[in-house]
Amino acid sequence: MFDKENIRVRYLRTLEKIRSFLLAKKSREFLIFLFFVFVSFSFWLLQVLNDDYETELSVPLRMKNVPENVVLTSDLPTELRIGVKDRGTVLVNYLLGQTLYPVTLDFEEYTDKGSQVRIPAVTLSKRIASQLNQSTKLSTIKPDTLELIYTRGQGKKVPVKLRGEVKAERQFYISNVVYSPDSVMVYAPKEILDTITSAYTEELYIEEISDTTRRRAKLMPVKGAKFTPSYDDVTFLVDMYSEKTVDVPVQGINFPGDAVLRTFPAKVQVTFQIGLSQFKNVTADDFVVVVDYKKLHENTGDKCKPILVQSPSIVNHVRLSPQEIEYIIEQKITFND
């Protein structure tokens, strides 16, 4: 570590070395040479930039006051490319400093001209020229014509659905997918609107998530249709698997009225995986384990396999223990008066 005195000494030594270098004869001659080079370059640059040049600039293009039920079936450009001519000093200012503001079209100005309108870009020249210097000449506008094609569609609400695949890490699972909003409005001509039943997100592929994850996804476009909004916030709720075991009684089905099933044991263990958030909500009553009388005739011994015929949809990897149980069939004895 350097103390303050050592730092001061090093600073003074470095300063002295720089001073000695700059005051040296060869150094002075080199610095004088660089100064004149810089002055010469400056005069040359000013002379060059004083000449007239042409260049191309970009002007953003916007459309306002478009009703929700209007579907634009033509793709308006997002910008106009304009050719301008002026002195180099002015053009450098456009390229490096001055920002051109968007040119905005008002949809309401064209509603009485039909559903297909051609707008000559020249009509926008006054709006563009007002942003330029008086000395600047506007020579070209690309594209030279804007085409506005639209239709007033009917609307309906459709649910949002996910396209893609989302996977959780091992020992985790996606417990729910929440869409915000869960449905959107779609506007289109009737013949197109009748074919749309859902709004699908762009394809999402996410792997190995272990916590709640949220993504904003654009809705897949449909030609001739307009979704409002055009995006959706999708949230994937993640839960951790846990294992649980419950004792479920074995029931007999399809037995004759005078036959009674006895199994040993009378209950089997049902083991399954379930999310921690649902752990307490699943009990033995949610499962049904049976022995089918019709299948007992296939047995050659005194054991049979219990069958799980009902389980909650939120459980996974269900297994029974034991997989085979002993059984006997008893006949009911009835007494006649």
Side-chain angles (χ1 to χ4, degrees), residues 244-255:
K244 185 175 182 178
T245 300
V246 294
D247 293 329
V248 179
V250 179
Q251 304 176 28
I253 60 172
N254 297 321
F255 277 75

Side-chain angles (χ1 to χ4, degrees), residues 94 98 100-103 124-134 136 138:
Y94 289 132
Q98 183 176 348
L100 298 178
Y101 296 104
V103 173
L124 307 176
S125 59
K126 290 184 179 180
R127 304 184 195 181
I128 298 173
S130 64
Q131 302 186 54
L132 303 176
N133 287 8
Q134 291 184 353
T136 303
L138 179 61

Side-chain angles (χ1 to χ4, degrees), residues 319-331:
R319 57 190 185 275
L320 305 182
S321 179
Q323 295 184 0
E324 288 189 334
I325 57 176
E326 296 180 350
Y327 73 97
I328 61 173
I329 300 176
E330 297 179 346
Q331 296 295 321

Side-chain angles (χ1 to χ4, degrees), residues 183-196:
S183 57
V184 296
M185 289 296 298
V186 57
Y187 299 94
K190 187 177 185 307
E191 61 273 15
I192 297 177
L193 190 66
D194 291 343
T195 66
I196 300 174

